[in-house]
Amino acid sequence: MKDSLLKLLIKGFLKRKISLVGLVIFLFFIFCGIFGSYLTPYDPYKTKFSNRYELPNNKNLFGTDWAGRDVLSRVLVGAGITLKISILALCIGSVIGGILGIIIGFMKNSLLKMLIIQINDILLTFPFLVLAILISALLGSSLNNAIIAIGISRIPRYVRIFSLVVNSEKNKNYVISAISIGASNMRILFYHILPNILPIFLVNTVLFFALTIIAEATLSFIGIGAQPPLPSWGLMIRQASENMLVYPFGVIPPSIAILLVVLSANLMSDGLREFMDPKLR
Amino acid sequence: MYNLIDISSLHVDFHLEESIVPAINGIDLAVKREKILGIVGESGCGKSVLALSIMGLIPSPGKITNGKILFNHNNSEIDLTKIDSNSQLMRNIRGNKISMIFQEPMTSLNPVFNIGDQIIETIRLHQKVNYSVSKQRTLKILNEVGFPDPATRIFDYPHQLSGGMLQRVMIAMALVCKPLLLIADEPTTALDVTIQAQVLKLMNEIKLRFKTTIIFITHDLGVIAKMADEVAIMYVGKIVEHAPVNEIFSNPKHPYTIGLLQSMPTLNRQRNKPLSTIKGNVPNPGEIKSGCNFYPRCPKVMSRCKKEEPLLLNSSKNQKVSCFLYN
Amino acid sequence: MQFLPGDPVHYLLRGYEAEGQVEALRKEFNLDKPLFTQYYIWITGLLKGNLGFSIFYQQEISGIFIPRFIATIELITLSLILSVILGIPLGIISAVKVGSFEDGLIAIISLIGVSVPVFVFGVILQIIFCIYLDILPTIGRVSFFEDIFDSIKHLILPVLSISLGLLPYVIRNVRSEMLEVIKTDYIRTAWAKGLSPFKVYYKHALRNSLVGTLAVIGINFGMLLGGSVVTELVFQWPGLGTLFIQALMSHDYQLIQILVLVYALLFTLVNFIVDLIYIIIDPRITFEG
């Protein structure tokens, strides 16, 4: 059972053109993220005030910023930052949220359980962005704190997903029969229940990936996330916008970078969802 | 101008992704004024598409690919196939000169508007009268269709009414502008039998009182027996027999008609005889490439039937059959 | 709040602290009392209309609050209206012409719209309209009562910016609801009555799609709020958003608390209004339902 659902999902995903385009762009992004720092033509931190505000030319493919730094190099390293942030934040969110959700799902129906679920629902109604901004600012403005803040903001959603699925699955027949033949709780969890969560988890995570990137960019833009001179894309846009009177072009490269990556995540998510829809009905 | 509607050589095709389905495959039909024409056929034979063709409401990917539908009124003839279905002209005809009611009254009225407003909307759409006059007419027509207690219930919502009452509302809405033609597509199929009888009685009254011509579409021969003046039997997109109602029941000619009549369970038939059926299945439109559509199932099939298509021709004064047994 | 790192008094004094001064200020702001007491003082004050005292601005919060509140409400309501006015027709066109070029175009624009953070819209709009074309002011707000035209000129870009963030969601939702509604029997009846396409779509179909559309607005109101905070920053709009960010940066606890409360209340209010509208629009839903 666990193989077929996942396999079906992947097959359906690959069949659709949109998901494929998204996947390609996404893979390109991951490649840049991992190897970006080794591929930079120039040192992304090296300033050269004699060469500021250059438009794209032979030497600097994306031009230079207000401090004369090569924008292409910064975008590449920025990819790595973005990748690192999203993965870490999603890990925090999904692992903690997942564990909490599973625990809650397994709990017997009681007042305590209802209370916890109610609190979680209230947290869910809070806009993700505002929550992230709040937590991040209170922790102190830094990249790592931004990661933690975004991760924490994601927890309620994961808790909900996991608790709902575990709650509904634990009463199903195949679990009861597994218990009756003496399977241990852990085994039931990993072999039987979790595979059923996988499709929903996957679809949601891809979506959250997109939201996380936007959140990090927003936090950096506000000034609560990555601090200069880190080439976080959001921060780059902020710095470029401060100089927009003299050098409006500066906003373009990081914006397009964000656009492409988030777009790819959305395309993949749409492809997955399109495939899942008729099945869910 | 004896005929209200004259359909000749009508072809309607549905352009699907991989094929073209001929839902209506050459129909000639004349609808006489102030009479009830029953159109009988099984699911999929194209009777609803025929009705929608007259209204100009064929859903895409369907299109009229050939033929004429002549509408005779006001001493003039309009070919309905030549009018753009979104044009002002066609919209003036719908709901006003030609109305249609459908099978499921429970879902055929907009749930967020009350029934009174929906009827008033029809009136004010086609006639230049103010709100209070429209309201008066609405109350009157609801009364005439036997809707109980219109004055109190005129502003009820569809979900508050039963199927029978909703169908009366639909009929009221269809008739309020005194159309020349009413097309009823299986109006009683979704109703309880007792309500069915009431609605049928109502429709007969309408024919007499309003002098409306009615096209009554159904798969139920029993209903036809009660209602129709003339009957046209449809099979896979074509008309196979067209005769006055008495003739159809007393002297059916086409083997399909005979089969239909025989398969109707009647009260006085012998109980231990098995129900008779027509052998085989209804073919998909376009499946039979040559010859008569019915030949695979026909108990009286001849070799000619597989090769040539029989035409709908007069077999006697009022009757038309498309079968080589008769012409 | 007080568990978190970052001491407001230290921020305020920023290097000019002498031991005694820190203690004295602490006392003034009640920071030396136990947590529970601080909360008690806060809530009772709240009920009396005393919103507290902002450490950063050195004045009563109630004084700062109202004009900023109005400014933000301005942005939010106008953006909501714009998103709906643009989104509904686009969604309907998309649904009516499913699979066509127009539908594809609208879908692509929507996709791009959700793939970009709101502030990017703001910044790009600034570059186009303020720098290249130089027809609109970059930042700031002018009150409606002072100068209508100038006020509008300042409003256009921020409102447009926030709307572009919400628009794709509205379009997608309207489109999917309409696709369902168009297939129904009662729409077929509406055609059979001879109604014009405009009436069929905008009167009969839309009314039924509204229920779902409202839901999306309610759910995405949070996004709207988030978007407004950032947009205020981009355009230096003197609203609650910029106030919030300032308060966060300076660890102005009193202010932060009030603002979080306000956001939460706003949220609840909007959801409540959405529920109310449901009841009005759909006669099948009553108070018992």
Side-chain angles (χ1 to χ4, degrees):
Chain A
M1 211 187 329
K2 121 169 144 177
D3 290 299
S4 51
L5 197 58
L6 195 57
K7 275 205 189 121
L8 268 173
L9 193 69
I10 296 183
K11 269 205 209 122
F13 174 82
L14 290 176
K15 268 204 213 124
R16 282 172 166 67
K17 286 194 225 122
I18 0 173
S19 351
L20 281 179
V21 172
L23 189 62
V24 167
I25 301 180
F26 189 69
L27 288 174
F28 178 67
F29 158 68
I30 295 191
F31 176 77
C32 290
I34 302 179
F35 299 109
S37 6
Y38 305 109
L39 295 173
T40 56
Y42 297 88
D43 178 353
Y45 297 100
K46 183 144 187 255
T47 61
K48 193 172 177 190
F49 283 91
S50 54
N51 199 23
R52 329 157 78 190
Y53 301 139
E54 291 287 336
L55 286 174
N57 54 41
N58 291 343
K59 293 214 296 190
N60 306 92
L61 235 50
F62 285 1
T64 61
D65 67 0
W66 63 273
R69 298 176 291 202
D70 176 44
V71 174
L72 174 59
S73 312
R74 288 177 67 81
V75 169
L76 282 174
V77 179
I81 296 181
T82 311
L83 188 62
K84 167 177 153 199
I85 294 174
S86 326
I87 294 185
L88 284 177
L90 277 179
C91 280
I92 297 179
S94 57
V95 168
I96 301 183
I99 295 179
L100 284 175
I102 292 176
I103 296 179
I104 296 178
F106 268 125
M107 277 171 73
K108 295 251 183 297
N109 285 334
S110 61
L111 204 58
L112 181 63
K113 182 175 181 177
M114 266 181 52
L115 189 65
I116 298 182
I117 293 185
Q118 191 58 37
I119 296 180
N120 193 50
D121 281 348
I122 293 180
L123 280 175
L124 266 179
T125 61
F126 251 86
F128 170 61
L129 212 55
V130 174
L131 205 58
I133 294 178
L134 192 61
I135 300 178
S136 180
L138 293 174
L139 288 177
S141 308
S142 83
L143 186 61
N144 291 328
N145 288 340
I147 297 177
I148 297 176
I150 298 177
I152 296 182
S153 309
R154 264 293 149 233
I155 291 180
R157 183 65 65 176
Y158 275 115
V159 168
R160 187 188 158 88
I161 294 176
F162 276 88
S163 63
L164 277 179
V165 176
V166 170
N167 210 27
S168 69
E169 294 292 314
K170 76 179 178 195
N171 291 323
K172 294 223 176 117
N173 285 330
Y174 70 90
V175 173
I176 299 179
S177 59
I179 297 178
S180 70
I181 60 171
S184 75
N185 276 337
M186 287 300 273
R187 187 186 170 84
I188 296 178
L189 181 65
F190 284 104
Y191 270 38
H192 297 286
I193 298 188
L194 281 185
N196 280 300
I197 302 186
L198 219 47
I200 305 182
F201 175 79
L202 227 57
V203 172
N204 276 293
T205 300
V206 173
L207 205 59
F208 294 159
F209 189 85
L211 291 174
T212 302
I213 297 182
I214 294 190
E216 185 276 323
T218 309
L219 288 178
S220 304
F221 183 82
I222 296 180
I224 299 178
Q227 298 297 312
L230 280 177
S232 146
W233 290 338
L235 196 54
M236 285 170 75
I237 300 183
R238 172 61 180 267
Q239 290 176 331
S241 75
E242 278 163 5
N243 298 294
M244 91 167 95
L245 281 168
V246 224
Y247 185 58
F249 178 77
V251 175
I252 310 277
S255 304
I256 295 193
I258 298 182
L259 173 63
L260 284 178
V261 179
V262 179
L263 191 64
S264 73
N266 278 322
L267 286 175
M268 293 196 298
S269 152
D270 269 357
L272 274 174
R273 218 183 317 141
E274 230 183 64
F275 168 74
M276 295 215 3
D277 230 350
K279 304 223 105 183
L280 288 177
R281 282 188 203 207
Chain B
M1 301 284 180
Y2 192 52
N3 293 333
L4 186 63
I5 300 268
D6 259 308
I7 304 179
S8 46
S9 307
L10 186 65
H11 281 82
V12 175
D13 288 336
F14 276 75
H15 295 257
L16 302 179
E17 269 174 56
E18 284 158 21
S19 57
I20 299 184
V21 175
I24 299 209
N25 211 1
I27 283 197
D28 298 306
L29 188 62
V31 184
K32 298 201 179 70
R33 275 178 200 283
E34 295 179 33
K35 298 266 182 258
I36 298 186
L37 169 67
I39 299 187
V40 180
E42 296 168 283
S43 317
C45 69
K47 46 195 204 295
S48 291
V49 177
L50 181 58
L52 292 172
S53 313
I54 301 178
M55 296 285 283
L57 287 178
I58 305 174
S60 80
K63 277 202 321 192
I64 298 181
T65 50
N66 197 11
K68 290 198 276 201
I69 302 179
L70 293 177
F71 179 43
N72 301 314
H73 82 295
N74 275 356
N75 289 332
S76 68
E77 243 180 34
I78 311 181
D79 183 359
L80 295 177
T81 60
K82 298 278 181 291
I83 308 180
D84 180 74
S85 57
N86 272 333
S87 65
Q88 185 72 30
L89 185 53
M90 195 68 215
R91 286 190 266 128
N92 279 339
I93 294 178
R94 283 189 209 128
N96 193 14
K97 304 270 188 301
I98 305 179
S99 289
M100 186 161 171
I101 60 177
F102 302 94
Q103 184 171 342
E104 298 275 357
M106 302 293 276
T107 50
S108 293
L109 284 166
N110 198 326
V112 299
F113 298 126
N114 64 52
I115 54 164
D117 282 337
Q118 297 192 49
I119 300 181
I120 292 176
E121 181 186 34
T122 316
I123 301 176
R124 301 194 75 189
L125 180 63
H126 297 294
Q127 296 166 352
K128 293 189 183 2
V129 290
N130 66 25
Y131 182 80
S132 60
V133 173
S134 310
K135 187 171 169 200
Q136 286 305 102
R137 291 196 193 168
T138 303
L139 288 167
K140 182 156 174 277
I141 191 84
L142 283 173
N143 228 337
E144 282 169 346
V145 299
F147 185 81
D149 206 4
T152 347
R153 310 197 73 161
I154 180 178
F155 293 125
D156 278 356
Y157 283 89
H159 67 275
Q160 296 171 285
L161 302 173
S162 72
M165 294 208 268
L166 284 173
Q167 196 60 296
R168 288 180 198 269
V169 171
M170 291 291 296
I171 294 175
M173 195 160 77
L175 292 177
V176 75
C177 296
K178 309 264 192 303
L180 296 164
L181 174 64
L182 172 67
I183 306 177
D185 191 352
E186 310 227 34
T188 55
T189 308
L191 302 174
D192 295 330
V193 175
T194 45
I195 311 287
Q196 203 181 70
Q198 290 174 5
V199 172
L200 292 176
K201 180 159 164 271
L202 171 62
M203 295 189 72
N204 259 323
E205 283 169 13
I206 290 171
K207 174 187 105 175
L208 294 170
R209 202 172 344 145
F210 294 104
K211 308 231 188 300
T212 323
T213 309
I214 302 182
I215 296 180
F216 197 105
I217 301 176
T218 179
H219 61 271
D220 187 341
L221 282 165
V223 167
I224 283 294
K226 281 193 265 219
M227 296 289 295
D229 297 313
E230 284 184 17
V231 182
I233 312 272
M234 263 185 86
Y235 186 72
V236 191
K238 283 175 174 308
I239 296 194
V240 297
E241 189 166 353
H242 182 172
V245 61
N246 294 328
E247 295 290 326
I248 286 277
F249 281 95
S250 61
N251 190 10
K253 299 228 160 65
H254 196 281
Y256 177 60
T257 318
I258 299 175
L260 271 184
L261 285 167
Q262 280 179 345
S263 56
M264 252 173 60
T266 55
L267 279 176
N268 52 6
R269 66 177 200 83
Q270 287 169 281
R271 300 197 107 215
N272 32 11
K273 265 178 75 183
L275 280 173
S276 72
T277 54
I278 308 176
K279 73 167 199 266
N281 290 315
V282 179
N284 291 323
E287 201 180 294
I288 308 233
K289 307 276 182 235
S290 68
C292 172
N293 273 335
F294 193 57
Y295 84 75
R297 311 170 74 191
C298 185
K300 306 231 179 91
V301 61
M302 310 180 287
S303 61
R304 189 180 178 196
C305 304
K306 298 190 195 164
K307 292 178 270 180
E308 287 174 57
E309 248 184 78
L311 297 172
L312 189 66
L313 299 170
N314 278 322
S315 67
S316 64
K317 194 183 105 175
N318 295 331
Q319 269 185 304
K320 294 193 189 167
V321 195
S322 75
C323 182
F324 291 123
L325 290 171
Y326 304 98
N327 25 10
Chain C
M1 254 340 147
Q2 275 76 344
F3 291 114
L4 298 158
D7 184 359
V9 176
H10 277 290
Y11 184 89
L12 198 59
L13 293 176
R14 268 176 295 210
Y16 293 98
E17 317 144 1
E19 211 34 60
Q21 278 191 309
V22 174
E23 286 310 310
L25 267 175
R26 276 221 142 95
K27 228 180 166 141
E28 204 186 314
F29 292 126
N30 288 324
L31 288 170
D32 54 334
K33 300 214 180 61
L35 225 50
F36 193 66
T37 324
Q38 289 186 43
Y39 261 120
Y40 181 72
I41 298 177
W42 183 59
I43 291 188
T44 45
L46 211 56
L47 291 171
K48 284 191 230 147
N50 174 13
L51 293 176
F53 190 86
S54 158
I55 292 180
F56 180 77
Y57 287 97
Q58 290 292 306
Q59 54 170 141
E60 294 282 332
I61 293 184
S62 5
I64 320 169
F65 189 76
I66 307 278
R68 295 243 174 186
F69 184 73
I70 297 180
T72 296
I73 294 289
E74 228 176 33
L75 277 189
I76 291 187
T77 18
L78 287 175
S79 308
L80 201 55
I81 295 176
L82 187 63
S83 308
V84 167
I85 293 183
L86 285 180
I88 290 184
L90 285 176
I92 293 183
I93 294 177
S94 228
V96 168
K97 297 196 179 175
V98 183
S100 70
F101 172 71
E102 290 94 336
D103 184 18
L105 192 62
I106 293 178
I108 292 179
I109 296 183
S110 291
L111 206 52
I112 295 184
V114 299
S115 302
V116 158
V118 179
F119 64 84
V120 171
F121 285 131
V123 171
I124 303 258
L125 283 174
Q126 275 180 327
I127 294 184
I128 299 180
F129 288 97
C130 311
I131 304 205
Y132 276 139
L133 297 180
D134 202 7
I135 50 176
L136 289 173
T138 324
I139 56 176
R141 170 181 182 260
V142 171
S143 164
F144 206 64
F145 303 108
E146 280 172 30
D147 181 342
I148 295 194
F149 284 122
D150 208 17
S151 160
I152 294 181
K153 275 166 79 177
H154 279 95
L155 271 170
I156 296 183
L157 290 185
V159 168
L160 193 55
S161 203
I162 304 180
S163 311
L164 285 174
L166 191 59
L167 198 59
Y169 293 93
V170 175
I171 293 180
R172 279 186 183 179
N173 182 269
V174 170
R175 177 180 186 274
S176 72
E177 294 281 330
M178 284 291 289
L179 281 176
E180 289 297 309
V181 169
I182 285 182
K183 294 188 259 183
T184 57
D185 287 345
Y186 56 83
I187 292 297
R188 180 182 56 180
T189 306
W191 289 116
K193 282 187 350 182
L195 288 171
S196 68
F198 181 80
K199 281 253 175 71
V200 173
Y201 293 126
Y202 282 90
K203 186 176 166 193
H204 283 257
L206 189 57
R207 195 68 187 274
N208 283 280
S209 312
L210 275 183
V211 173
T213 308
L214 269 176
V216 110
I217 293 182
I219 294 173
N220 283 311
F221 186 70
M223 245 194 54
L224 194 63
L225 279 184
S228 75
V229 169
V230 184
T231 307
E232 283 188 21
L233 191 63
V234 171
F235 290 95
Q236 290 185 37
W237 190 264
L240 294 178
T242 34
L243 191 62
F244 188 54
I245 293 177
Q246 187 58 60
L248 285 175
M249 298 290 229
S250 54
H251 294 275
D252 194 344
Y253 291 135
Q254 299 257 354
L255 197 48
I256 297 177
Q257 275 172 309
I258 295 286
L259 285 172
V260 170
L261 193 64
V262 167
Y263 275 120
L265 279 177
L266 213 56
F267 220 71
T268 322
L269 187 66
V270 166
N271 279 323
F272 181 68
I273 294 181
V274 166
D275 281 339
L276 261 178
I277 299 185
Y278 271 151
I279 296 181
I280 297 179
I281 286 192
D282 192 341
R284 291 168 287 187
I285 302 174
T286 58
F287 270 114
E288 304 106 48

